[in-house]
Amino acid sequence: MAGMSYLSELRAVWGSAPLVSVGVSVLLQDEAGRVLLQQRGDDGLWGVLGGGLEPGETFLEAAHRELREETGLSCPDLSLMDLREGLVSGPEFYHRYPNGHEIYLVGLRTQGTLPAAALAHAVPDDSGETLALAWFALDDLPPLNSNINRVSMNVLRARVGLPPLPLLPVPDAPPTGNHLLALRRLVGPRPLFAPGANVLVTDEAGCLLLLKHGGTGRWTLPGGSLEPGESLEQCAARELHEETGLSAAHLEPLRLYAGADYRFTYPHGDVIDNVSVLYRAHGVAGTLALPAEEIHGAAWFAPGALPPEADLSGPLIRAMVREWQKGRSVAAPASG
């Protein structure tokens, strides 16, 4: 690949300390159900295909690119996994590379099928990242290089009734701070991935809770950026409580938003590429309490009486609110 990757550019100023890495895994199976694995050039162990997103990419675009780079192959039926199987986040997705670089992977799995014979035509690129490619039965796997790969194999193993592979021990997650702000101080206004979560909260009348953001003066949903070692669901619960004082008995993942359509530029010029899971809150409890320095107001809106889109905080929130409105406007707001 020409030039430095997004993660390499950050490493140049951040060093080896943990970074949140936004990535995609590519799980390909043949007609016998075997999975295609890659022997890695950095440690000689095996893992699934995939890699980090570049700014502006969707997960599916990145999956096709990584597959092409690592195998020279294409997969016509490559698709995103359902969020219940496909989401990747949390302390178990820590990895320390042989060069000492540490990451917490956040992202999504993709899946597809290829005939076993396709492997004869594989031509990996010349980066040295791929030492070998081979098909493996799910009950006869080679030495895997990280929990990232073990958990992916466990998703496929569960489908056919095989027990899960044990996970490797991981260090305690770093204390919650403001990872994105710390990065921003080093890199300036350039685009940064902002993996995180937003939450749909509705009242008994079926109205949606929106918050007036202090920094932009626009309406937004409860939510924010993920910290290293935090799962997306934990991020959603933390941000919901910090910004509203509310808690939810259950958070249901609805959709993952990523790609150039959801880039946001703050009034002061900082640019983020949002990678956000939209959750629906169930069993909401507590009393609305706003952090005055960050949130300057809150209101409940019926599907047909939402603020104008220009008053919503950027393309991500507009898309999320549209999706909620579409689902709610087909009938009168529910009561109870």
Side-chain angles (χ1 to χ4, degrees):
M1 290 174 61
M4 294 176 71
S5 71
Y6 170 84
L7 209 57
S8 297
E9 291 173 0
L10 296 190
R11 285 291 178 203
V13 296
W14 186 256
S16 297
L19 278 170
V20 175
S21 176
V22 179
V24 65
S25 298
V26 183
L27 277 58
L28 297 184
Q29 291 179 277
D30 68 4
E31 57 270 36
R34 297 181 300 173
V35 64
L36 183 59
L37 298 180
Q38 165 204 56
Q39 189 179 23
R40 298 176 54 88
D42 58 1
D43 59 14
L45 300 176
W46 293 81
V48 300
L49 305 167
L53 268 66
E54 294 299 321
E57 277 188 317
T58 66
F59 281 97
L60 199 54
E61 289 167 348
H64 281 290
R65 174 181 54 77
E66 289 287 343
L67 177 61
R68 185 170 60 252
E69 291 172 2
E70 294 178 352
T71 71
L73 301 173
S74 61
C75 177
D77 70 354
L78 195 61
S79 63
L80 303 177
M81 278 192 179
D82 180 273
L83 294 188
R84 289 167 294 184
E85 284 190 321
L87 275 181
V88 172
S89 66
E92 67 268 36
F93 294 101
Y94 168 87
H95 182 60
R96 187 178 188 274
Y97 291 94
N99 63 6
H101 292 172
E102 298 175 89
I103 65 161
Y104 285 95
L105 183 66
V106 174
L108 194 61
R109 299 183 183 93
T110 61
Q111 61 188 350
T113 57
L114 281 177
L119 196 54
H121 307 287
V123 184
D125 67 16
D126 59 1
S127 67
E129 186 177 355
T130 303
L131 297 182
L133 295 163
W135 295 106
F136 291 93
L138 292 171
D139 60 356
D140 189 21
L141 293 166
L144 301 173
N145 90 321
S146 72
N147 284 340
I148 295 166
N149 298 297
R150 288 167 179 258
V151 177
S152 286
M153 292 302 95
N154 286 344
V155 169
L156 298 182
R157 285 166 64 93
R159 290 180 178 180
V160 295
L162 291 171
L165 303 173
L167 299 186
L168 304 169
V170 295
D172 292 335
T176 300
N178 194 321
H179 183 69
L180 197 62
L181 180 60
L183 264 179
R184 183 65 74 191
R185 290 185 179 124
L186 294 175
V187 303
R190 61 150 293 166
L192 286 176
F193 280 118
N198 293 91
V199 185
L200 298 174
V201 180
T202 52
D203 65 8
E204 295 84 352
C207 295
L208 179 68
L209 177 63
L210 294 179
L211 308 176
K212 181 66 73 75
H213 192 276
T216 64
R218 294 177 177 176
W219 294 102
T220 188
L221 292 167
S225 296
L226 174 141
E227 294 294 319
E230 190 176 43
S231 74
L232 287 159
E233 184 174 331
Q234 289 170 335
C235 172
R238 175 179 56 78
E239 290 285 348
L240 176 63
H241 189 262
E242 288 177 358
E243 294 187 345
T244 70
L246 304 175
S247 59
H250 172 60
L251 290 165
E252 174 193 2
L254 301 178
R255 182 175 168 184
L256 176 60
Y257 294 78
D261 289 345
Y262 307 110
R263 175 168 286 187
F264 181 74
T265 302
Y266 284 94
H268 51 263
D270 291 351
V271 181
I272 59 170
D273 276 17
N274 283 298
V275 179
S276 185
V277 177
L278 178 62
Y279 287 89
R280 179 185 286 122
H282 297 275
V284 177
T287 302
L288 196 61
L290 309 178
E293 69 283 357
E294 182 181 358
I295 304 299
H296 289 179
W300 301 89
F301 293 90
L306 288 161
E309 285 213 340
D311 292 341
L312 296 176
S313 183
L316 174 72
I317 299 303
R318 290 171 197 152
M320 289 177 167
V321 170
R322 274 198 302 269
E323 183 154 306
W324 173 80
Q325 185 182 32
K326 183 173 61 178
R328 296 294 300 172
S329 60
V330 295
S335 59

